[in-house]
């Protein structure tokens, strides 16, 4: 019919939809007559007694064709199905589809038409998404809201077709509210609902979902494979999203929602919302937070918060979006290990943060015992009483167990991801070429684990575990090393350590320069004062240049080269110049250069930390509006950053879009 021209094409589509509607009505009347006739001769009527519905117009295919033509939210095509400006006569296909849906619902939904009605509603959804505001406005003034409301408030059915129909109905209503800029459509939808019944249905759905979740946890089942649960879950949360959106514009619905807030807390905790700007208008978008988002570790969140580029508002948001890809890899990786009960338990108690604290306090208790009771024995060797040996053995065993769990948790949580990322770089494969691809792949995966040794956290866990076993088997004094776990408990202490490592190269170059200067002083001393270099036992310590160099370095801790020299005549100008030059150049200048680098770095880190903390306390991460503005004009700054512009909800939204079927994306 496309070859007949646009006027004929749209007329044929309209006539096919009308014919389909007539066929369904005729079939419904016919099936009712057959049913009545059969009931006169038998007490029960089976489905086999009623002939199947066979349409000559194939309405489901027609609706699917219209839906496919609008994929990608092409507004020109969406509007064309409503009005054809290029035709001398317009055929309102959208209105015909609406009439079809309303008629089918009016005559009664059964197995013969339920799939067609579901497809009809999915087509109406696609005609509105984008949003196409003209189609939204048109449909909101028809009986579609009433029809969808009746479908949604039907008694809960286990039937798969019924679930699909309800899901299609709720998506149609959500599409009607997409990009809402005024209260006209929300009010028209609100007038169609029996809100007490709606909240009772949601409460019932909540109870059912909680039971299914509890049963799955007891039986260690994966709910992602339970299609019935997924359908019920999708319907319930979309329904709650719909109500939340309407409540933004209708005060009565908002009061109902607040009244039932305790009962519906299950949904509220799992629903996220963000604010976006569309066509110059601020819009709030509700979505279900994917379950995988709960696996994001506290350490990764802190890394994003403290590592963000806060120079401009745009840079902050861009950094967050760029970090989301890495965070998603971590989240999906951790979710894949959630079937492991041990890993799930360690994640629940947040061992990554709790482990260093436990290790520190156990080590603290061990060292308190050692301080008070580690004494010299009769054989003049340090020893402990048997009761304290047993106590330290028990505490040390617990400490080693915690460190072992921490290492296991780190390797499973982070290390395997880093290893895979390193292996995917294919460094050896590219180096050896395609001829030796097998060897290259083997070397890639063989050497990839060594990337872990670049991680300070991994090295520290290995170190703590090793010293834990040595403390049990060799000497309990080695448990003192575990007191360094305090670095993991305090950001300020980590900054102290960073002050040394941040400018490590500069410190190394400065130290090498200082060593060269000391070497020059050792040559000067070897030539002029080698007979004056003595140790405490009056032995010569400058018989050769290497001994003289070592002796010159020994003067550094005392800050005076004279500490390694014997008495000399101060009247010697050469000695006075040597002594003063060593003090001025080595002690005063070089040491202060090194200390200055460390102090300046620490000061800069402290200043940066204070600046980040100040911005976190006084500026929204997303919109960069100051605290004063929110405290004066809204419900407060804390409410804004937790509810309106929670930065992690934006991460959750990106994950939600990643998991959502591309064909299900809205505009």
């Amino acid at each position: 019919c496309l070859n007949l021209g646009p006027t004929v094409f749209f007329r044929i589509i309209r006539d096919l939809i009308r014919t389909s509607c007539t066929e369904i009505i005729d079939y419904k009347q016919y099936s009712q007559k057959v049913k009545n006739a059969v009931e006169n001769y038998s007490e029960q009527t089976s489905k086999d007694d009623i002939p199947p519905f066979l349409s000559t117009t194939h309405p489901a295919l027609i609706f699917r064709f219209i839906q496919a033509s609008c994929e990608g939210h092409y507004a020109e095509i969406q509007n064309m199905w409503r009005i054809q400006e290029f035709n001398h006569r317009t055929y309102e296909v959208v209105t015909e589809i609406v009439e079809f849906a309303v008629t089918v619902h009016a005559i009664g939904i059964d197995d013969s038409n339920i799939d067609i009605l579901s497809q009809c509603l999915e087509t109406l959804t696609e005609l509105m998404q984008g949003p196409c505001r003209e189609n939204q406005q048109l449909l909101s003034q028809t009986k579609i809201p009433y029809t969808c409301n009746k479908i949604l408030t039907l008694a809960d059915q286990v039937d798969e077709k019924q679930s699909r129909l309800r899901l299609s109905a709720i998506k149609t209503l959500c599409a009607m509210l997409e990009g809402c800029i005024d209260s006209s459509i929300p009010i028209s939808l609100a007038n169609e609902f029996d809100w007490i019944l709606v909240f009772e249905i949601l409460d019932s759905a909540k109870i059912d979902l909680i039971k299914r979740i509890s049963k799955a946890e007891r039986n260690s089942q994966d709910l992602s494979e339970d299609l019935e649960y997924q359908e019920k879950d999708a319907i319930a949360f979309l329904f709650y999203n719909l109500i939340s959106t309407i409540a933004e514009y209708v005060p009565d619905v908002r009061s109902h929602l607040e009244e039932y807030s305790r009962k519906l807390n299950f949904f509220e905790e799992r629903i996220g919302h963000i604010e976006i700007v569309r066509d110059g208008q601020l819009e709030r978008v509700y979505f279900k937070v994917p379950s995988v988002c709960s696996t994001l570790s506290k350490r990764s969140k802190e890394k994003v918060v403290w590592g963000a580029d806060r120079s401009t508002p745009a840079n902050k948001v861009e950094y967050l979006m760029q970090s989301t890809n890495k965070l998603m890899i971590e989240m999906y990786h951790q979710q894949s290990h959630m079937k492991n009960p041990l890993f799930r338990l360690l994640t629940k108690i947040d061992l990554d943060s709790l482990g260093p604290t436990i290790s520190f306090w156990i080590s603290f208790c061990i060292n308190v015992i050692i301080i008070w009771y580690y004494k010299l024995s009769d054989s003049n060797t340090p020893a402990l009483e048997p009761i304290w040996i047993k106590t330290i053995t028990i505490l040390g065993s617990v400490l080693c167990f915690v460190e072992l769990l921490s290492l296991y948790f780190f390797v499973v949580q982070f290390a395997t991801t880093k290893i895979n990322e390193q292996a995917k770089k294919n460094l050896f494969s590219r180096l050896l070429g395609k001829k030796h691809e097998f060897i290259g792949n083997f070397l890639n995966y063989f050497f990839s684990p060594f990337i872990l040794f670049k991680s300070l956290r991994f090295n520290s866990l290995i170190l703590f575990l090793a010293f834990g076993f040595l403390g049990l088997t060799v000497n309990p004094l080695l448990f003192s090393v575990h007191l360094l776990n305090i670095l993991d408990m305090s950001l300020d202490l980590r900054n102290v350590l960073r002050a040394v490592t941040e400018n490590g190269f500069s410190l190394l170059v400065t130290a090498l320069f200082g060593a060269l200067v000391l070497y020059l002083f050792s040559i000067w001393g070897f030539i002029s004062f080698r007979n004056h270099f003595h140790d405490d036992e009056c032995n010569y310590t400058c018989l050769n240049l290497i001994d003289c160099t070592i002796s010159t370095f020994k003067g550094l801790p005392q800050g005076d080269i004279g500490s390694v020299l014997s008495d000399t005549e101060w009247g010697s100008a050469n000695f006075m110049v040597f002594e003063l030059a060593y003090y001025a150049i080595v002690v005063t200048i070089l040491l202060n250069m090194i200390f200055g680098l460390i102090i300046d770095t620490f000061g800069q880190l402290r200043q940066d930390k204070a600046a980040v903390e100040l911005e976190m306390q006084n500026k929204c991460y997303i919109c960069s509006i100051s605290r004063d503005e929110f405290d004066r004009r809204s419900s407060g700054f804390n409410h804004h950053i937790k509810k309106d512009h929670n930065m992690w909800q934006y991460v959750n939204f990106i994950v939600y879009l990643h998991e959502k079927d591309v064909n299900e994306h809205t505009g």
Side-chain angles (χ1 to χ4, degrees), residues 510-572:
T510 306
L512 287 174
F513 176 69
L516 291 175
V517 172
L518 284 170
Y519 175 68
L520 295 177
F521 272 96
S522 66
I523 293 176
W524 186 0
F526 180 73
I527 294 173
S528 304
F529 310 107
R530 60 178 175 271
N531 294 327
H532 296 280
F533 281 84
H534 293 89
D535 57 16
D536 294 338
E537 298 177 358
C538 296
N539 296 319
Y540 286 105
T541 57
C542 196
L543 298 176
N544 51 50
L545 187 56
I546 188 168
D547 289 340
C548 212
T549 303
I550 294 172
S551 297
T552 304
F553 273 83
K554 286 181 179 179
L556 191 60
Q558 284 80 16
D560 181 15
I561 190 64
S563 61
V564 296
L565 294 172
S566 60
D567 294 336
T568 54
E569 296 180 0
W570 277 92
S572 171

Side-chain angles (χ1 to χ4, degrees), residues 622-639:
I622 301 299
C623 64
S624 294
I625 298 176
S626 66
R627 171 187 286 271
D628 296 338
E629 291 291 325
F630 293 109
D631 289 341
R632 283 200 307 265
R633 301 182 183 181
S634 65
S635 54
F637 178 75
N638 291 331
H639 178 272

Side-chain angles (χ1 to χ4, degrees), residues 252-309:
D252 290 342
V253 179
R254 192 182 310 127
S255 62
H256 279 299
L257 191 60
E258 292 172 355
E259 182 182 346
Y260 282 85
S261 60
R262 288 187 179 180
K263 289 186 177 181
L264 302 180
N265 191 47
F266 171 81
F267 296 106
E268 187 176 352
E269 291 175 350
R270 291 163 175 79
I271 288 290
H273 64 265
I274 62 171
E275 289 184 338
I276 62 172
V277 176
R278 192 203 312 244
D279 299 332
Q281 297 285 338
L282 192 64
E283 178 186 343
R284 178 170 288 187
V285 178
Y286 290 89
F287 63 97
K288 185 195 173 188
V289 177
S291 58
V292 69
C293 295
S294 62
T295 63
L296 186 60
S297 66
K298 183 179 177 182
R299 187 180 293 271
S300 297
K301 286 184 176 181
E302 288 181 351
K303 187 176 179 181
V304 172
V305 169
W306 292 102
D309 178 8

